[in-house]
Each structure stands twice: as structure tokens, then as C-alpha cells.
Amino acid sequence: MNKIKFWRSWDTDIKYPYLFLLLLCVVALLLGVFHYFTGEGYAFDWDKLTDLQVVPVPVHEVTRLLENFTLSAEGYLIFEQYDVALPTVNTTAATLLIGILGLCVAFYTAAISTMKQLSYFGGMLLLMLFLATFNFDLLSIFGNGASQTTLLVSIALLAISSYAFQAFWPQTRFALRIVVMMGVVATLALLIYSEAEFPARLITLHLVNYSSIGVLIATVLFMLWVSYENVNALLWINTQAKTPEKRFGLWQFVLVSTLYLVNLLLLYLRHIGYLKADLFYINGYFIFILSVIAGFWGMRQREAYYKRLFLFKPAGAVLYLVFATMAFLSIGYAFATANDPLTVLFHDLIVYTHLAFGFGFLLYILINYATLLQQRLPVYKVVYEPKRFSLFSFFLMSLMICTILVMRTQYRSYFYAQGGYYNYLGDLYSASGNPILAQRFYEESDLFDVNNVKANYNLASIYRQKNQRNSEILHLKEALEKRPSPKLYIRLANLYDEKQYFFEKMYVLQEGIAKFPESAEIYNNLALMYAATSVQDSTDYYFNLAQKYTSDEDFIESNRLAFYTRQAMLDPAKQLLGESRKGKYKTLRSNAAALRQLLGLDPGDKEAFMPDSLGAIEDLTLFYNQTISRLNEGDTSRLAPINRYLSNPGNQLFFEDLLYLKGLVHHYNGRVKEGRTILENLALQAESRGGYYYNVLGQWMLEENNYKAAAAYFKLAKDRGNKQAYLSEGYAMALANQPQQAVEALQEVGFTENEAAIAVAQDLIAVLQQDVQTVITQAPDKEKVQYLLTNLPQLNEENVDALVQAVQDKELKRRALLARVDYMMANKRWKAAYDAIQNASSKLQAEGELRSALNLNQLKVWLYTENYDALLNKMDQLYLTDRDKRQRLYFKARIAEARGRNEEAAARYEQALAMLLYDEEVVLSAARFFDVYKPKEEKAYNILLSGITYNPYSAELYKAYALESVDQGLYSYAEQAQQTLQSLLPATEYSIFIKKLDKKRQEVETRADNWQL
């Protein structure tokens, strides 16, 4: 252990700085390993192309005249195919590099200050050459761009400081030297960053990228330094045992060393193209790390060789770690920036140096120590004390072999170095917003390392931003020729996204699969390509492969779910929905919410998604689809985020969707007036979608039993091209007890060319045109009930009873019995209504819309007969749907009014009006109450005005409004109401009301005359 941790015996003055530098070296190594695996993902990150598709999902369904009317909204499905983002310059890696590099410079200058004079000047010369690579003059810190003042100042400060320690204060403690040199480096950094006329980010990139040549040279020198250390380590492993019996002999050492060198030889043959077989190779970078670790201790072992120039403690030990750190930084930064010419260069140089020097060192050992190895002696102790073949000869021979290896590749390493350097300069000018210079340097890089990926992808990205598609395709193809990757295939295929390029896209993706058979990204895009066709088997096949190889299952499941939903493949969709229940991916949750709404399932996603802002399209769709699926839950908490999104100018693209969503939330959570106002404004603003919004308003009026208003909205929708509204208008007219107008509207359904709608319309026309006796004796049960509901006000009790008795179907019988109750209620025959309720009650199910309607009539009977105790006691016990539960507010208001609790009644009426403004009875009762409770205020008038605004086809509301307008002295408004009533009332009833209105006007005028007297 003491041999491994040799610094334990050192003075703290040297030990702690050394341990700090060792830690710094380990950090640089870890950063290099991290960027080895993640660098390309940062520089050319995966992106996604979002395809937003609309699928109609049911929002609410209402049954009228035995026909289901479904309000559908646009649910959103998201298909996501992989793409590659624009290249990113890794400024974080550059910042870390320059920071650690500054510390390395400080340690280096401190270390050479402990050397002897000749070696010190050699070390200082290397430092000067290294500083010259920073190109300080381009930062224009002193004078113009041609000034070398900054370089001279840097050299002077570092040289004078270190020389002072070397020549005048040689006894200065090493820790103090490091502190001083760190101070000098910090001063230089402060000078550069404060005086340069560029942002700190660009200064960092300038220093790092321009100095990359200097760091690269230091890395190459360090590779030569440690290139034979693995063979030396093998020698130590074979001969380090304490007893000869446990040591290995000559042949064992030769065998293991040969295996190591054969691996390097295979790597070399593969690099130069002689070997195509896909064999197992030890990664060159792993070999390099092993040699660095071996050299960590080998440096001390070689002290006898270099001690004439400097000692291992501290100069040798520190210099080794400085160069190791710089090598790790250089290699790591090449991976962090995905600079493939340099990553390939470094790997090649590792192979060249380690093969040449490893082979040379093996010969050196065999020539000098073969006999000792046969005798199983601890040769590692005397390995640097040769008797026959000197170390200089070994270095010279190995260097010649290495040079031959490089020459055999036509000096490819030089071109790689130049290509990588120009890529760095291209990054610098790309980050500075100078695409012209960036393009020029990338083109230079492509000239030295033809078709290298970094240069060509960056050039393709420049052309992408210029919308020059053909040039982008050209550079992507060139990059694929040299170093193909799934990302390049994906990006190239995405440029063939139009339909006419289907086969080109398929060819590119299939070629990518042939090269990368485990690329889930390519399989996903192939699946989506076939999803746009009718070839479902191929889509499923590629989705299965994508699912098999992906590391992001939610991404693939989201696309599959969207595909199954769009194709109405319900069985696999339901299965996948169950499997993906716990998925957290927003797009998956969004598609699942749309599918659940389409299937009529409860929202399965318990986590409410209400972000602070809509930063991406999946944020909108998830929020939108979730809100649609929760409309009937009485939850208004989503109004606040909707208002926040609407107020954000960045959401202008989603404005109409959000406004419509707000209207839906208002309507289905009890704020019917606000919801209707929003939809009417939308219908006026969105000309192309006006028909849809008017159809929604008509659907809402159907839900509220305001059939004349529903018919009017459906007509507006029909006039704007909404085909669904044709049939709906006819049914609304029939429900409004206007059979002749209903027949006329239903006859126009033929214009829709929808065979199913035409058949339904013709069936209803046939019902409406029959006489009651024919219906009773000959019509099917469905037509009997339809006739009963359509003509209920015009029938006498005998015909109503006959129609009810004639219905035999169990379910239709229930609807007929409820219609009989409605008939009795409309004619104010409370005792008969009560009996009809009791008769129907035993035949209806315990829950459901029919049971709720029957129970609501029961409560109204108690209200109209002033049986308030029964009403109050049973109100919360009888089953009511969520919508009918709102009537409890009205009942409580009437009870409070009847018992003289006027303040409570006023509050209850206010609550009831907010939710039941569509209910004619509620509006009339509230207006009557406030007319008595606060006669001097305009409360009653405003209530009636809101009532006719919301329900402009209610004759009773207009009557009350006209009378209240006269009472308030607003005669012009009363005249307008009078004109409207002329179209809403039969002539006889209209004449009777006019007399009543004139009488009211005379009373008001008389009251005014008396007041003046």
C-alpha cells in the first residue's frame, strides 16, 4: 500500500497540492468519460416532429324524441417522429475546460520552477509556445487586432514569477509557488475577461477552441510518454511476486504481451481498411486509460533516467498529472463537441503510439532481460537499467515505427487534426452569430477531413436555417458516406416528408435499419411512415421492433396509442391503454385522455395537469384533453389557468381552442350565461368555424329544453354549412311542438347526402304527418312515443292515456309514463300528476335521467301545492342527476320566500339564477320576488332582461319583461318586446296580452300623475 500511495511520506507542503492535482486529473477523466457517452447527444440532440391530428370525442349526450344527440369536440392526438435538433455549442464543457486548464498552467509553471536551469528554460519554451496558440491578439485587449501585447504580458508575468522562484528563491515552499502562480493566472484571466470586447461565453470559446492545437500537441506528447506503460505493467504483473515459484516465466510474458499487441495490430488494420471483420476489440481509449494508470507509478520508477534534469518530487509527479489532465480534457472536449475528426484522431494516435512503442518495449525487454525472465527474477526492478539495448535506442526505434504507421495512412492524422481544429473555429463563429465565417471554417474542415460528420451536419444545419433543402440533403448524404449514424438517417429521411417522396424516405430509413438494426428511433419513424398509409401490418411490425429496442417506452406507446385511436382499432387500443396507465410522458397522457373520452371511460389520469404556461404543444393537448374529460365533474379550478393562458400573447396560436374550452367549462359547471356568451362571440369571430359553434349552442339549448332557441341556433349552424345541424333543427322544431315547421326542416336533410340522417328524418316526417288514431292503432311503439312527445300540448287526456296504454316495449313505456306526468304538470292538475308519478315510479329504474326527471316533477308538485315540509325533507333524498341537482337552489329560494326569510331567499335566487338562467320558471319567480322585495330597484327588470337575452324565444319571459318595462317607465323597450311577442304568440293570445299591457301602462301613468299632484 505504501508503494501505491507513495505520497504518504511526502511533506504536506507537496502532498496536499499533489492530491489536489490528482483529484483534478480524476475529475478531468470522469468528465471525459461522461462526454464520451453523452457528447453527441448534446451536440446533435434528438428532437421530435409533432403531428397534431384531430379526432372527434363526445363531450355530452342528450336524448330527445328517442334520438341521441351527441355534442362532439375536437380531441387532439399527437404523433411524434424523431428528428435531430440544430447543433449546439457546448459552452459548459468549454468553461470547465478553461477553468481546469488554467489550474494546469499554474501547476506547470510552479513545477518547472523547481527544475535545473536548462530543463527550466526548455519547460518555459514549451509554455510560451502553448500560450501562443491562444491567439490573444484577436480579442483586441490591447491596441488593434494585430497587437501581440496580451501574449507578451502573459508570458512575462508567468516567466518572471516562475524564474524568480527558480533563480532567486529556490527554497520557497512548493505550495506557496502554486498559490502565487494561481494568482498570476487569475490576474491574467481577470485582465482578459474584463478588457476583451466580447461576452464571457465567446471569450471562453475563443480561448478553448484556438488553444485546442496546443492542447492537442500536449496530448500527443503524453500519449508517447505512456505508450509503452501497459507492456511495462504486464512485466510487473509477471515478475512482482515475492518468490520465484509465484512469478511467471518468459513465455507467459511473451504470450500475454503478444495478445495485447495483436489487439492493437487488429485495430490498426481495421483503421487503414485492411480488416473488415466485426471482431472483438479492446477499445483504444480504455487501453489509454490503463496506460495512464500504469504510467502513474512508472513515472517514479523512471526517475533514474531523468533525474539529471529534474526530480520526481515534485516536478516529475506534477508534470505527469498536468499532462494527463490536459490529455483527458482534450479528448473529453472533442467528444463533448462531437468533433469526430479529433475523436478518430485520438483513437488512431493511441493505436499508433501504443502499438509502435509497445512492440519496441517488448523487444527492449527481450533483448536485455530474456535470460532473467527465464530465471523468474523480478525484472521490473531493473527494467530501466539496460546492458545491451539502450532506452534511447528503444525510443528512436519505436518513434521510427510510429512514423511509418502514420505515413502508411498518408498522413491522415495531420488532416484529422486540421479538420478538427477548423470545426472548433466553426463552433466559435457559429456561437458568435457569424454564420458566414462559421460556414467557411466548416468547409475548411470538410476539405481536410472529407465528409466528416461535424462539419457536414453543421453545414446542413446552416442550409436548413436558410430553407435550402437540396444543399442540406447533399451534406447529410456526404456525412453518411463516411461515418453513418441513426441520427443522420433520421434527419435525411425527414427531408423527404412530402407524399411524393414516400419511396425516397422509405429507402433512407430501410438503409438505416440495415446499418443499425437496433435503432428504435428509425423503427418508430418507419412505423409512422406506414401509419400514413393503409398498411396496418407494417405499422404494427415496426412499432413492435421500436418497442423492443427503445429506452423510452412511453414515447413509442404514445404513438401506438394515437395510431390505434385514429384507426378505430379499439381492442389493441384498450389493451395498450391498460398497459400504459402509469406512464408519465405528457404526450402519452394526452393521447390516453383523448382515447378514454372517446371510449366513454372515466378519466384514468388522477394527476391534474395545469402548468404555469403552455411551453409546448403537448402541454396544450394534455391540458385540453384532460379538461374535456372532466367537464361534468363540477370542477371549475381550470378556469384560472385558462384565463392565465389567454392573457399570454405567446399562446395566440391556441387562443380559439382555449376560449372554446373556457366556454365548455362554464356551461357544464353551472355558469351557463358566461358559456353562451363566449360561444356566441366565437361564432361571430371564427367565420370558418361559426357553423360548428352555433351547432354547439343549439345542442346546449336542447339540453336545457329550450327547443325554439335550439332550432334557431341549428338554423344558423346549417346556414354556415354544418351538416349535423340539418337533422337537429327538425328535431328541435318537433320538440317545440311545431310539427309543420319540423317537417319542412327535416325535408332539407336530403341536402347533406348522409343516408343515415336522411332515413331518420324520413321516419320522423312520417310520424309527424299521421293522425292520432292511426298512431294509436298502427304505429310501432317508438313512433307512438315520438308522436306523444311532439304533440303533447295539443292532445286531450283521453288520447294521452290511449297512447301510453298502447306502448308495450318496457323501456319506451317508461318514457311514455313520464310524458303523461309532464302532461298533467303542464295542465296544473296536481292530484292527477301525483297519481301519475306514483304509477310511473314503480316501473322506472332507481337511477338515470328518467328517474331524475320523475323525482324533479315530484318535488315540483310539493312546491306548487305548498307542501314545503315534504319538499324540504325529501329534496336531498330523492335521486337527481348532477344537472337536476341545481334545481335545489330554486326550491330553497321558494321555501325561504314562503316562510318570510327574504334575505335568504334573495341569496338563494341569486345562486339559482347564476346556474338556471335558462329555466323560464326560475327567472319569472326570481323577478316576481325582487319586484316585491325591492320594488324601487331595477333588480327585477335586469333579471328579466338577462332572461330574454339568454332565451329570446320564451313568450312568458317577454310578457313579464314588457310589463316590467312599463312599470319602470321604459315604454320604448316595452314596445320592442311587444313586437317580438307578436311573432311568438297566437293572434288571440297576443290580443289578450296587449289589453293587459295597455291597462298596465294606464296604471303607471295614473300613478305618475297622482305623484305629481
Side-chain angles (χ1 to χ4, degrees):
M1 184 61 69
N2 288 333
K3 291 182 179 180
I4 296 175
K5 296 185 178 181
F6 51 77
W7 56 81
R8 278 189 168 183
S9 60
W10 291 2
D11 296 335
T12 57
D13 173 54
I14 300 176
K15 179 170 66 175
Y16 289 120
Y18 181 78
L19 290 177
F20 174 78
L21 183 58
L22 178 61
L23 177 62
L24 206 64
C25 183
V26 173
V27 169
L29 171 60
L30 294 177
L31 288 173
V33 173
F34 173 76
H35 288 128
Y36 176 85
F37 292 104
T38 65
E40 184 185 282
Y42 184 90
F44 316 131
D45 198 8
W46 282 115
D47 199 1
K48 61 186 179 183
L49 295 176
T50 300
D51 180 17
L52 189 65
Q53 297 191 14
V54 175
V55 56
V57 295
V59 173
H60 193 268
E61 187 174 82
V62 61
T63 302
R64 295 292 183 268
L65 275 183
L66 307 183
E67 187 70 24
N68 292 330
F69 292 87
T70 302
L71 172 61
S72 295
E74 292 182 341
Y76 288 113
L77 296 175
I78 295 182
F79 292 86
E80 293 178 319
Q81 62 176 322
Y82 284 101
D83 194 23
V84 188
L86 292 170
T88 304
V89 178
N90 198 335
T91 55
T92 302
T95 303
L96 290 171
L97 189 150
I98 198 64
I100 298 175
L101 192 61
L103 293 173
C104 287
V105 170
F107 271 89
Y108 177 85
T109 50
I112 64 174
S113 70
T114 65
M115 295 180 177
K116 296 179 181 180
Q117 192 173 55
L118 184 61
S119 56
Y120 166 76
F121 285 123
M124 183 52 63
L125 178 60
L126 288 177
L127 179 62
M128 292 178 182
L129 294 174
F130 177 67
L131 291 175
T133 64
F134 282 87
N135 279 13
F136 292 120
D137 55 301
L138 297 181
L139 293 175
S140 301
I141 297 173
F142 298 108
N144 55 37
S147 173
Q148 297 293 332
T149 307
T150 308
L151 173 62
L152 295 176
V153 169
S154 303
I155 293 174
L157 288 175
L158 291 169
I160 292 172
S161 301
S162 61
Y163 184 72
F165 292 124
Q166 196 275 336
F168 303 111
W169 300 300
Q171 303 302 319
T172 305
R173 301 178 61 176
F174 187 68
L176 181 59
R177 299 183 189 217
I178 291 175
V179 171
V180 172
M181 299 316 301
M182 283 184 176
V184 173
V185 172
T187 302
L188 288 172
L190 182 62
L191 172 67
I192 293 169
Y193 279 91
S194 62
E195 296 301 321
E197 297 179 356
F198 300 98
R201 178 176 66 95
L202 294 183
I203 297 172
T204 299
L205 287 174
H206 174 95
L207 296 176
V208 169
N209 292 0
Y210 269 108
S211 67
S212 60
I213 286 292
V215 179
L216 187 151
I217 293 171
T219 303
V220 174
L221 291 175
F222 184 70
M223 286 180 182
L224 293 171
W225 191 338
V226 299
S227 54
Y228 61 90
E229 288 291 354
N230 285 331
V231 178
N232 190 25
L234 293 175
L235 176 67
W236 178 82
I237 293 171
N238 277 267
T239 63
Q240 52 81 36
K242 293 182 178 180
T243 60
E245 294 79 13
K246 294 182 179 180
R247 300 184 188 122
F248 296 100
L250 173 65
W251 297 113
Q252 289 92 335
F253 169 71
V254 172
L255 176 62
V256 70
S257 300
T258 302
L259 289 175
Y260 165 73
L261 293 173
V262 166
N263 179 81
L264 290 171
L265 179 61
L266 292 175
L267 283 173
Y268 175 76
L269 294 175
R270 187 183 187 191
H271 287 170
I272 63 176
Y274 281 4
L275 188 64
K276 302 291 185 181
D278 190 14
L279 303 175
F280 174 77
Y281 307 95
I282 299 176
N283 185 283
Y285 289 108
F286 181 70
I287 291 173
F288 178 63
I289 293 174
L290 292 178
S291 63
V292 173
I293 295 173
F296 183 69
W297 287 275
M299 183 64 185
R300 186 180 60 155
Q301 191 180 12
R302 293 195 296 273
E303 186 178 22
Y305 190 74
Y306 58 77
K307 64 181 179 180
R308 292 172 296 174
L309 301 175
F310 55 86
L311 298 177
F312 174 72
K313 185 183 73 172
V318 170
L319 288 177
Y320 184 85
L321 289 182
V322 166
F323 276 86
T325 303
M326 292 176 69
F328 292 145
L329 289 175
S330 183
I331 297 172
Y333 188 64
F335 279 107
T337 55
N339 197 342
D340 54 306
L342 288 185
T343 58
V344 174
L345 167 68
F346 287 132
H347 195 273
D348 286 356
L349 289 177
I350 290 170
V351 173
Y352 300 161
T353 56
H354 284 62
L355 176 59
F357 281 80
F359 176 73
F361 196 67
L362 177 61
L363 288 180
Y364 165 82
I365 292 173
L366 293 178
I367 293 172
N368 289 298
Y369 307 109
T371 305
L372 298 179
L373 283 170
Q374 285 181 331
Q375 298 173 4
R376 300 194 176 189
L377 296 174
V379 177
Y380 75 93
K381 293 182 179 180
V382 295
V383 70
Y384 291 113
E385 300 174 12
K387 302 298 184 182
R388 300 177 185 173
F389 191 62
S390 68
L391 279 171
F392 177 78
S393 301
F394 148 65
F395 277 114
L396 184 60
M397 179 191 71
S398 300
L399 189 60
M400 291 176 63
I401 296 173
C402 188
T403 303
I404 293 171
L405 295 178
V406 173
M407 292 172 62
R408 184 65 185 80
T409 61
Q410 288 79 43
Y411 303 99
R412 191 165 56 185
S413 298
Y414 167 77
F415 295 110
Y416 284 162
Q418 288 285 59
Y421 178 67
Y422 282 118
N423 274 336
Y424 281 148
L425 298 186
D427 283 351
L428 170 61
Y429 289 102
S430 177
S432 66
N434 192 336
I436 297 176
L437 272 180
Q439 181 177 345
R440 185 71 186 91
F441 281 119
Y442 288 133
E443 288 171 349
E444 285 290 325
S445 172
D446 188 42
L447 184 65
F448 281 100
D449 182 16
V450 179
N451 297 340
N452 76 82
V453 173
K454 182 174 179 64
N456 278 279
Y457 187 76
N458 279 273
L459 287 170
S461 299
I462 291 172
Y463 288 120
R464 189 201 308 193
Q465 292 172 300
K466 295 179 179 179
N467 293 320
Q468 296 181 12
R469 176 177 171 273
N470 292 334
S471 297
E472 183 181 358
I473 290 175
L474 177 63
H475 283 287
L476 289 172
K477 286 183 175 180
E478 289 178 352
L480 279 169
E481 287 181 10
K482 189 157 194 176
R483 300 184 185 105
S485 72
K487 289 183 178 179
L488 293 175
Y489 281 111
I490 287 286
R491 181 59 204 156
L492 179 59
N494 287 345
L495 292 172
Y496 296 113
D497 219 27
E498 290 82 5
K499 289 184 179 179
Q500 65 266 32
Y501 300 123
F502 176 84
F503 291 104
E504 288 87 345
K505 181 174 185 177
M506 180 181 68
Y507 173 78
V508 171
L509 291 176
Q510 292 289 3
E511 184 181 337
I513 286 300
K515 292 283 183 67
F516 302 97
E518 295 185 2
S519 172
E521 295 82 7
I522 299 180
Y523 285 128
N524 174 80
N525 284 19
L526 265 171
L528 291 181
M529 185 189 71
Y530 283 107
T533 69
S534 58
V535 189
Q536 295 183 0
D537 292 344
S538 295
T539 305
D540 249 346
Y541 172 74
Y542 286 117
F543 270 139
N544 288 333
L545 288 172
Q547 197 85 41
K548 177 180 178 181
Y549 294 113
T550 187
S551 59
D552 187 359
E553 291 188 2
D554 286 354
F555 188 97
I556 309 300
E557 287 180 353
S558 173
N559 283 328
R560 297 188 76 166
L561 201 63
F563 169 69
Y564 293 148
T565 303
R566 190 188 64 185
Q567 297 298 116
M569 300 168 65
L570 299 184
D571 290 337
K574 290 178 181 177
Q575 180 180 351
L576 186 58
L577 189 64
E579 294 172 357
S580 60
R581 186 182 301 272
K582 296 181 180 180
K584 297 298 182 182
Y585 186 52
K586 286 189 287 189
T587 305
L588 174 61
R589 292 168 61 193
S590 175
N591 289 339
L595 177 59
R596 287 183 173 279
Q597 186 68 10
L598 193 63
L599 297 174
L601 302 176
D602 292 333
D605 196 345
K606 296 181 180 180
E607 182 183 348
F609 182 74
M610 290 184 281
D612 294 334
S613 61
L614 301 178
I617 190 66
E618 57 267 25
D619 294 329
L620 168 71
T621 58
L622 177 54
F623 176 78
Y624 181 92
N625 290 342
Q626 271 197 357
T627 305
I628 291 290
S629 66
R630 288 169 165 80
L631 283 176
N632 297 304
E633 294 184 354
D635 181 13
T636 58
S637 62
R638 291 179 176 264
L639 287 174
I642 290 176
N643 290 329
R644 186 168 64 247
Y645 305 151
L646 286 170
S647 64
N648 187 348
N651 295 327
Q652 191 66 32
L653 185 64
F654 312 140
F655 186 83
E656 186 177 330
D657 293 304
L658 292 170
L659 203 58
Y660 177 44
L661 199 61
K662 183 178 180 180
L664 288 172
V665 173
H666 273 311
H667 177 80
Y668 286 104
N669 291 282
R671 311 295 295 187
V672 293
K673 181 180 179 182
E674 291 85 345
R676 178 177 173 272
T677 301
I678 290 172
L679 263 290
E680 283 195 327
N681 290 333
L682 267 177
L684 292 172
Q685 296 169 9
E687 295 182 2
S688 61
R689 302 249 307 156
Y692 171 78
Y693 292 125
Y694 280 125
N695 185 69
V696 173
L697 286 166
Q699 183 81 13
W700 286 356
M701 297 301 110
L702 271 187
E703 296 171 10
E704 297 164 358
N705 300 326
N706 291 334
Y707 301 123
K708 289 184 180 179
Y713 280 124
F714 286 134
K715 186 176 188 310
L716 289 171
K718 181 179 70 174
D719 293 342
R720 286 159 177 79
N722 188 284
K723 293 185 176 181
Q724 184 182 351
Y726 280 79
L727 183 63
S728 301
E729 183 194 11
Y731 268 78
M733 286 293 186
L735 288 163
N737 309 123
Q738 296 177 343
Q740 185 58 42
Q741 293 91 327
V743 170
E744 293 174 1
L746 290 168
Q747 288 173 342
E748 295 182 4
V749 176
F751 293 116
T752 65
E753 300 181 356
N754 185 326
E755 296 297 331
I758 292 172
V760 173
Q762 290 175 345
D763 290 343
L764 185 57
I765 289 173
V767 173
L768 296 175
Q769 292 179 336
Q770 296 183 52
D771 63 87
V772 64
Q773 293 303 321
T774 303
V775 172
I776 293 172
T777 57
Q778 299 179 14
D781 285 352
K782 179 180 179 181
E783 294 184 5
K784 289 185 177 77
V785 176
Q786 286 180 324
Y787 187 90
L788 175 64
L789 295 173
T790 303
N791 296 279
L792 193 62
Q794 289 82 29
L795 297 173
N796 57 42
E797 186 174 349
E798 181 181 351
N799 288 334
V800 171
D801 290 339
L803 283 167
V804 173
Q805 292 300 323
V807 177
Q808 300 301 317
D809 181 85
K810 189 175 182 180
E811 187 61 35
L812 294 174
K813 185 80 169 183
R814 293 168 179 165
R815 189 66 194 83
L817 289 170
L818 188 59
R820 187 171 183 272
V821 174
D822 293 336
Y823 179 82
M824 298 302 176
M825 296 288 291
N827 288 279
K828 300 182 180 181
R829 298 180 56 192
W830 312 129
K831 178 64 171 66
Y834 182 80
D835 294 338
I837 289 170
Q838 300 306 311
N839 181 38
S841 181
S842 60
K843 297 180 177 60
L844 263 62
Q845 295 179 349
E847 294 184 355
E849 289 189 5
L850 295 181
R851 172 60 68 176
S852 179
L854 185 70
N855 289 342
L856 195 59
N857 279 329
Q858 174 68 80
L859 294 172
K860 287 183 178 181
V861 168
W862 285 326
L863 174 67
Y864 301 148
T865 57
E866 300 182 358
N867 190 353
Y868 299 124
D869 290 335
L871 175 61
L872 191 60
N873 292 333
K874 298 292 185 180
M875 190 188 310
D876 295 327
Q877 298 178 14
L878 295 179
Y879 170 80
L880 296 173
T881 61
D882 290 338
R883 188 177 188 84
D884 288 342
K885 285 178 182 178
R886 301 173 188 175
Q887 293 286 340
R888 292 173 181 171
L889 296 170
Y890 169 60
F891 295 145
K892 291 177 181 178
R894 288 289 299 271
I895 293 170
E897 178 188 1
R899 294 182 174 176
R901 301 196 297 269
N902 289 337
E903 290 187 7
E904 180 187 347
R908 297 290 188 186
Y909 273 124
E910 292 279 5
Q911 294 172 343
L913 285 170
M915 291 191 172
L916 301 169
L917 187 61
Y918 57 84
D919 192 302
E920 180 183 282
E921 180 183 340
V922 173
V923 176
L924 290 172
S925 297
R928 176 188 47 77
F929 168 76
F930 282 107
D931 193 37
V932 175
Y933 179 50
K934 295 182 178 180
K936 294 183 180 181
E937 297 182 6
E938 295 182 355
K939 185 69 175 177
Y941 171 81
N942 290 329
I943 290 172
L944 291 169
L945 178 60
S946 297
I948 63 171
T949 302
Y950 190 86
N951 188 5
Y953 299 94
S954 170
E956 294 302 319
L957 286 178
Y958 264 103
K959 287 179 184 180
Y961 175 73
L963 293 170
E964 185 63 27
S965 297
V966 170
D967 196 40
Q968 296 289 334
L970 304 172
Y971 298 121
S972 61
Y973 293 155
E975 290 174 1
Q976 292 175 6
Q978 180 181 330
Q979 293 173 4
T980 303
L981 280 167
Q982 192 171 6
S983 63
L984 295 176
L985 293 173
T988 304
E989 188 176 346
Y990 177 72
S991 299
I992 295 172
F993 176 73
I994 291 301
K995 294 177 182 178
K996 183 177 180 180
L997 187 64
D998 290 340
K999 183 180 179 181
K1000 181 70 172 179
R1001 184 183 289 110
Q1002 291 173 6
E1003 292 175 356
V1004 172
E1005 290 174 351
T1006 302
R1007 188 167 64 239
D1009 292 340
N1010 292 336
W1011 179 81
Q1012 290 176 359
L1013 292 174

